[in-house]
Amino acid sequence: MRIAYTKHHNEGQISPERDTAIAVSGSSTHQYAEDITIEGNYIEGFSYKGIIIGGYVRDVWVVNNVIKNMKLLDLSWTPDAIAVGGVNVERVHIIGNKIINSEYRGLFISNKEICVEGNQIYYSGDYPIWIDNGDFITVRDNYIYGAALIGPQSGSGINVKEGKHIIIFKGRT
């Protein structure tokens, strides 16, 4: 499946619940959504998720999307420009995306075999990249500018809450 080159614009929302531009997930009966590409989309003004990769998903490419102005309306529904979570998510590649003004997190990463490479994250709240309970995560060659300027916490550039086999580095120049 390919989701490509569409424009998603939202403004004036009063509740962040289910306010998401693109969501992909398999089923709770253990049927996987597989071989998915989300590429070249423009997403602006949402208050929950720009792109979310949910449970029972594998072999996903999130490439060259622009996500702007994610709004923080309620800490119960924290916004992420791109979120990878849920159960049984594996082999996700987040490459070359541009995130601008996400008021809480730019990237939320959970699960296993995730590659986060070559993304640009500008003014992304408290946590430009947050890894939570990840396994075999590689983060390389990302550009982060202006963290901890908007959100409610103390902030950091890359935060690893829980995980193992995580590699964070600048690749070869």
Side-chain angles (χ1 to χ4, degrees):
M1 174 179 21
R2 183 172 185 171
I3 302 169
Y5 307 107
T6 58
K7 184 174 184 179
H8 307 267
H9 184 77
N10 189 20
E11 61 182 56
Q13 63 277 55
I14 57 173
S15 171
E17 186 175 357
R18 296 188 182 103
D19 190 31
T20 301
I22 298 172
V24 176
S25 69
S27 77
S28 59
T29 59
H30 308 286
Q31 294 182 348
Y32 279 81
E34 299 181 86
D35 301 317
I36 297 167
T37 301
I38 301 170
E39 178 180 11
N41 297 285
Y42 179 87
I43 298 167
E44 183 172 4
F46 286 79
S47 64
Y48 184 49
K49 306 293 181 211
I51 298 171
I52 184 168
I53 308 303
Y56 296 99
V57 177
R58 61 182 165 218
D59 300 319
V60 178
W61 294 82
V62 180
V63 183
N64 297 330
N65 298 284
V66 175
I67 303 168
K68 293 177 70 176
N69 302 324
M70 294 294 299
K71 305 293 182 194
L72 175 61
L73 299 179
D74 182 343
L75 280 173
S76 299
W77 298 87
T78 54
D80 302 302
I82 299 172
V84 179
V87 296
N88 297 318
V89 175
E90 53 192 72
R91 297 188 303 272
V92 177
H93 309 270
I94 301 170
I95 300 173
N97 299 284
K98 185 180 283 187
I99 297 168
I100 304 164
N101 295 327
S102 182
E103 291 187 359
Y104 190 66
R105 292 184 292 224
L107 299 173
F108 174 80
I109 308 299
S110 180
N111 272 288
K112 60 185 176 181
E113 298 178 56
I114 314 275
C115 176
V116 179
E117 180 176 348
N119 300 286
Q120 299 174 41
I121 305 170
Y122 300 92
Y123 301 109
S124 187
D126 285 339
Y127 306 104
I129 299 176
W130 175 290
I131 299 169
D132 190 343
N133 199 23
D135 192 8
F136 295 102
I137 310 293
T138 302
V139 178
R140 81 171 149 231
D141 291 334
N142 295 283
Y143 180 78
I144 298 172
Y145 181 85
L149 297 179
I150 301 170
Q153 305 296 323
S154 59
S156 63
I158 299 174
N159 184 47
V160 179
K161 183 175 179 186
E162 295 178 22
K164 57 186 176 181
H165 307 109
I166 296 172
I167 301 169
I168 300 170
F169 69 100
K170 169 146 179 31
R172 297 179 193 147
T173 57

